[in-house]
Amino acid sequence: MEISKEVLQLADFYSGINYSNPLRDPRATTFIQDGRFFLQASPRQYDIISGEPPRESSGCGQSLHGGIFSLMNSRLKQGGIATFWLPINQLKVEESKAILRAFHNAFQNASVWASADQEWIMMGIKGPGRKVKEEEIRQLWSDPDTGADLRGIGVEFLNNWARFRDGRRRDRSDHRGRRALTDIYPKRLTDEPWNDQANHRFALMYIEAPSAVQRFFVLP
């Protein structure tokens, strides 16, 4: 799903570790359409839905609306997974919290994958999901393809991976009572410039290694 056909035309020019143009996969079908409108019109349900709003000079701004998260949930199969990009380095802290609140309103089983570059990923599961055994996770590093990808982004060991994941407890407590981003109140995202120092302080709470590791091992 893409809103610009020119982006699809550039897929052959990208290069990266183990990269191959996914558009050439015979299983792939592409649409030039706004993702939200597509989901509203489609009766199908999916195993995975991933969203990445386009970058804008003033942040991810008005391309993001709170109702998209509930719509994604409604189009997932039971146990399905939704992910959504959250560039907190392009948003004010209060705006990031409003988006996080909206996502958690839509997905009770949710987590945030936080990294030092402040390019975060929100992940929600429809329903309770399932507990993953440690051995299943360790196999990701044994597989040549996934292992190379993980090491390529600096996640060389399981404990490194743990610091990228932040559990439900911290995430919910940090924005409890925060007004969520909704379609009725889209101006909870503004055109005001973000504060780099405030963003760094906010991000640090999520990626402190000792506490992140502890939360990782106690989560179900």
Side-chain angles (χ1 to χ4, degrees), residues 116-132:
D117 63 1
Q118 299 183 18
E119 302 267 355
W120 292 6
I121 298 292
M122 302 179 292
M123 185 176 77
I125 301 175
K126 185 169 185 174
R130 71 178 184 88
K131 187 173 182 178
V132 180

Side-chain angles (χ1 to χ4, degrees), residues 137-204:
I137 299 174
R138 292 191 182 279
Q139 288 177 358
L140 294 173
W141 280 264
S142 302
D143 182 273
D145 293 332
T146 57
D149 287 341
L150 287 165
R151 286 185 284 272
I153 61 172
V155 188
E156 298 172 342
F157 308 101
L158 178 61
N159 284 356
N160 294 140
W161 181 59
R163 76 176 59 187
F164 280 79
R165 176 176 178 173
D166 188 77
R168 295 184 276 278
R169 296 171 186 165
R170 146 135 282 162
D171 198 32
R172 291 188 185 282
S173 63
D174 280 349
H175 52 73
R176 181 177 294 130
R178 183 68 49 197
R179 294 184 300 177
L181 174 67
T182 69
D183 291 346
I184 299 175
Y185 295 102
K187 290 188 177 181
R188 288 177 183 164
L189 297 186
T190 71
D191 291 330
E192 297 178 18
W194 51 89
N195 183 317
D196 285 337
Q197 291 187 353
N199 279 356
H200 288 315
R201 289 193 297 269
F202 176 59
L204 185 62

